[in-house]
């Protein structure tokens, strides 16, 4: 921080400056009184000595001088009081100056003075944090030429000139150049300095770096724009009948090879192509997750009329959508066919209130709607879902099924899951079956049903009879998990 020294009067607040002026007046009064007392006392003494020496007797003026001598203690007492007042004013000025120094030292931001030519005449240490300069490095420089971006200078100069004619400016947001060349966003305020005649002398002001706040606000604007665009995309899917199709992947009985149901999988048509999980994640991010999931369920339920009455239709839903009253309304509108609907809740879904979810599941069960826990075996949550919700169907994750014919541990886990499901009286469905060997090991493990690319790929047309393994899929064909919706 620069030394106040000779600049103290310049940077001192107006009130402190007035105290200093009062001290000067009091000091002058003390000097005048002291000299007057000394001269009067000398005159009075001289008159009395002269009268005594010459034995002229005491005339009226000598007696009046005696009264003057008697008054001198009163005047002397006033001088003493003035001296004390002067000392008190000195202490007040010192304390005020110290407080001002502390304020400048600890002030948030950069305090500065400019002369009438916009040259910096005073700088606090805050310039170091705001602009990277030491205080002495900016003194004497034209503030606009040194700190303001070249493209901003005309507008800045016009604003400064208007402030010189008026009351300065408050909370002006602008850009300045940091010592390292970067652009900093600042808020600056300034008050014009004028002499007694009103002539403009310069500015006294402060500057605060708000680059962090500006970038945060800018990021928020980008986020809001992205959110708005995302809501528009989801809104288009909800409004456009051709933007979302529900493909069907058959689920077959492992022993009889009969098709017992289909899982409805979302396929979005807008370009550029994005996987279904991206669409659903985006919908949840912008607050339209339940709307998109319910829309997908409504489209899936249209397939019920195309399926035999002994086949069920499985749809994926998050716990939040399951407890949404609109789901019950949708299934009620489906009519008796809703008894063939199976609601799948994924292992990855977070359940905030199991009691509320279980209550809704029980009410749906009264209407014939069944519950399946998807991705069982992929993690701890799936077992929690099973124990807390008591589903009708347990769908085993692909991670358990893959290469089970080669891996004894996976075969043991399949057998354990089959025994566990059998003890609860529920059906098991193995997902992601991609080879004949994987399908074969399921039967020996006691798994009830299976689905996967080895059986059939998702298609807009339902598979009513399974005659054997599907054709080998091309290398670039997406895996089943890439086609799954929520």
């Amino acid at each position: 921080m620069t030394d106040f020294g000779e600049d103290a009067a310049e940077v001192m607040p107006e009130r402190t400056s007035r105290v200093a002026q009062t001290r000067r007046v009091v000091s002058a009064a003390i000097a005048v009184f002291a000299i007057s007392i000394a001269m009067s006392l000398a005159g009075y003494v001289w008159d009395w000595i002269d009268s005594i020496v010459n034995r002229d007797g005491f005339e009226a003026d000598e007696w009046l001088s005696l009264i003057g001598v008697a008054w001198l203690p009163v005047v002397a007492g006033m001088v003493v009081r003035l001296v004390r007042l002067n000392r008190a004013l000195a202490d007040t000025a010192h304390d005020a100056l110290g407080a001002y120094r502390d304020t400048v030292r600890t002030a948030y931001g950069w305090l500065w003075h400019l002369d009438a030519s916009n040259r910096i005449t005073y700088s606090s240490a805050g310039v170091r944090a705001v602009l990277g300069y030491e205080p002495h490095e900016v003194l004497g420089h034209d503030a606009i030429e040194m700190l303001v971006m070249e493209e901003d200078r005309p507008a800045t100069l016009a604003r400064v000139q208007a402030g010189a004619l008026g009351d300065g400016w408050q909370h002006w947001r602008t850009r300045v150049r940091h010592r390292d060349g970067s652009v900093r966003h600042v808020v600056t305020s300034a008050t014009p300095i004028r002499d007694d005649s009103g002539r403009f002398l310069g500015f006294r002001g402060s500057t605060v770096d708000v680059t962090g706040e500006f970038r945060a606000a800018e990021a928020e604007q980008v986020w809001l724009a992205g959110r708005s665009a995302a809501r528009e995309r989801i809104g288009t899917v909800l409004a456009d009948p051709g933007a979302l199709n529900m493909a069907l992947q058959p689920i077959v009985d492992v022993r009889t090879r009969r098709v017992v149901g289909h899982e409805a999988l979302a396929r979005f048509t807008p370009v550029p192509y994005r996987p279904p999980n991206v669409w659903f994640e985006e919908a949840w991010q912008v607050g339209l997750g339940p709307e998109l999931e319910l829309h997908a369920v409504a489209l899936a339920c249209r397939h019920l009329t195309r399926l035999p009455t002994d086949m069920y239709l499985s749809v994926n839903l998050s716990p939040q959508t399951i407890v949404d009253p609109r789901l019950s309304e949708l299934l009620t509108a489906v009519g008796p066919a809703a008894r063939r609907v199976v609601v799948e809740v994924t292992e990855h879904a977070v359940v905030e209130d199991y009691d509320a979810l279980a209550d809704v599941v029980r009410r749906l069960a009264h209407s014939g709607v069944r519950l399946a826990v998807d991705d069982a075996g992929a993690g701890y949550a799936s077992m929690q879902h099973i124990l807390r919700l008591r589903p009708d169907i347990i769908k085993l994750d692909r991670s358990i099924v893959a290469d089970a014919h080669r891996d004894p541990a996976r075969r043991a886990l399949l057998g354990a899951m089959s025994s566990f499901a059998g003890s609860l009286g529920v059906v098991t469905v193995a997902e992601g079956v991609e080879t004949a060997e994987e399908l074969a090991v399921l039967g020996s493990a006691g798994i009830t049903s299976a689905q996967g690319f080895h059986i059939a790929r998702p298609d807009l047309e339902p598979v009513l009879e399974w005659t054997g393994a599907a054709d080998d899929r091309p290398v670039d064909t997406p895996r089943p998990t890439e086609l799954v919706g929520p």
Side-chain angles (χ1 to χ4, degrees), residues 12 16-17 19-20 23 87-99:
M12 196 184 305
T16 307
S17 181
V19 171
R23 282 192 61 212
R87 290 177 178 173
L89 289 173
D91 292 340
T92 300
H94 181 271
D95 292 342
L97 182 58

Side-chain angles (χ1 to χ4, degrees), residues 451-463:
Q451 69 181 97
F453 273 12
H454 175 70
I455 297 168
R457 287 170 287 182
D459 197 276
L460 298 180
E461 294 297 324
V463 175

Side-chain angles (χ1 to χ4, degrees), residues 54-392:
N54 296 324
R55 298 181 178 182
D56 294 336
F58 298 104
E59 299 179 359
D61 58 338
E62 278 79 14
W63 291 106
L64 288 174
S65 66
L66 184 61
I67 296 174
V69 171
W71 183 252
L72 286 179
V74 177
V75 178
M78 184 176 297
V79 171
V80 171
R81 293 183 66 182
L82 287 174
V83 171
R84 291 175 179 173
L85 175 61
N86 188 50
R87 290 177 178 173
L89 289 173
D91 292 340
T92 300
H94 181 271
D95 292 342
L97 182 58
Y100 183 74
R101 288 175 174 173
D102 292 339
T103 300
V104 172
R105 188 179 299 112
T106 60
Y108 175 59
W110 173 37
L111 305 181
W112 46 263
H113 289 175
L114 302 181
D115 63 14
S117 301
N118 298 323
R119 296 191 178 277
I120 302 172
T121 59
Y122 167 74
S123 170
S124 74
V127 68
R128 188 182 302 117
V130 176
L131 297 174
Y133 292 97
E134 293 299 323
H136 69 273
E137 293 178 316
V138 298
L139 294 179
H141 289 277
D142 187 303
I144 295 178
E145 291 184 2
M146 183 179 187
L147 305 175
V148 178
M149 309 294 294
E150 185 173 356
E151 60 270 26
D152 295 343
R153 289 176 186 173
T156 300
L157 184 59
R159 183 73 177 267
V160 170
Q161 291 172 344
L165 298 175
D167 298 326
W169 60 85
Q170 296 294 321
H171 309 299
W172 176 18
R173 289 184 174 268
T174 185
R175 304 184 304 169
V176 293
R177 183 173 51 242
H178 192 273
R179 184 174 189 170
D180 61 12
S182 63
V183 176
R184 298 298 174 92
H185 296 267
V186 299
V187 172
T188 179
S189 300
T191 302
I193 305 171
R194 306 186 191 280
D195 60 16
D196 294 338
S197 66
R199 182 171 61 91
F200 174 69
L201 301 179
F203 289 104
R204 179 184 295 113
S206 63
T207 299
V208 178
D209 187 354
V210 294
T211 303
E213 293 88 334
F214 176 85
R215 290 175 178 169
E218 191 175 47
E220 183 180 10
Q221 290 299 319
V222 172
W223 179 81
L224 289 174
R227 179 183 175 85
S228 177
R231 286 186 66 89
E232 184 176 353
R233 284 192 295 270
I234 302 301
T236 299
V237 170
L238 295 174
D240 183 359
L244 173 61
N245 296 318
M246 299 303 293
L248 300 177
Q249 186 174 38
I251 301 169
V252 301
D253 185 290
V254 172
R255 297 183 302 276
T256 65
R257 307 300 172 93
R258 183 177 63 87
V259 178
V260 295
H262 288 79
E263 181 177 357
L265 303 171
R267 287 182 139 172
F268 293 85
T269 62
V271 292
Y273 169 79
R274 299 193 306 168
N277 64 298
V278 174
W279 282 98
F280 284 101
E281 288 171 4
E282 185 175 76
W284 279 103
Q285 291 169 1
V286 299
L288 294 175
E291 284 74 9
L292 185 57
E293 289 190 7
L294 291 171
H295 181 58
V297 172
L299 294 178
C301 286
R302 295 180 183 179
H303 286 294
L304 285 170
T305 58
R306 307 172 62 195
L307 299 178
T309 56
D310 59 348
M311 291 185 187
Y312 64 85
L313 178 69
S314 185
V315 294
N316 293 271
L317 287 174
S318 64
Q320 295 91 327
T321 305
I322 294 175
V323 299
D324 192 311
R326 290 175 293 179
L327 175 63
S328 296
E329 296 172 2
L330 188 157
L331 295 175
T332 299
V334 171
R339 300 180 64 85
R340 293 189 284 130
V341 173
V342 173
V343 172
E344 292 189 21
V345 57
T346 178
E347 188 274 343
H348 306 289
V350 177
V351 178
E352 297 178 353
D353 188 342
Y354 270 107
D355 292 336
L357 180 59
D359 184 61
V360 173
V361 169
R362 282 192 294 270
R363 292 202 303 269
L364 292 175
H366 289 316
S367 302
V369 177
R370 289 180 291 170
L371 178 72
V373 170
D374 198 11
D375 303 321
Y380 172 76
S382 61
M383 299 309 296
Q384 279 290 96
H385 292 349
I386 294 171
L387 295 175
R388 299 293 297 272
L389 300 176
R390 299 302 173 92
D392 303 284

Side-chain angles (χ1 to χ4, degrees), residues 385-471:
H385 292 349
I386 294 171
L387 295 175
R388 299 293 297 272
L389 300 176
R390 299 302 173 92
D392 303 284
I393 300 173
I394 297 176
K395 303 193 73 172
L396 304 180
D397 188 70
R398 162 70 186 166
S399 61
I400 302 177
V401 177
D403 295 326
H405 57 289
R406 297 193 185 98
D407 189 344
R410 282 187 169 86
R411 289 198 302 273
L413 183 55
L414 286 172
M417 292 298 294
S418 175
S419 299
F420 173 68
S423 65
L424 296 178
V426 301
V427 175
T428 51
V429 177
E431 295 185 292
V433 177
E434 297 189 359
T435 66
E437 292 80 5
E438 291 174 353
L439 180 61
V441 81
L442 295 177
S444 61
I447 302 301
T448 311
S449 306
Q451 69 181 97
F453 273 12
H454 175 70
I455 297 168
R457 287 170 287 182
D459 197 276
L460 298 180
E461 294 297 324
V463 175
L464 304 182
E465 293 184 7
W466 184 51
T467 57
D471 296 335

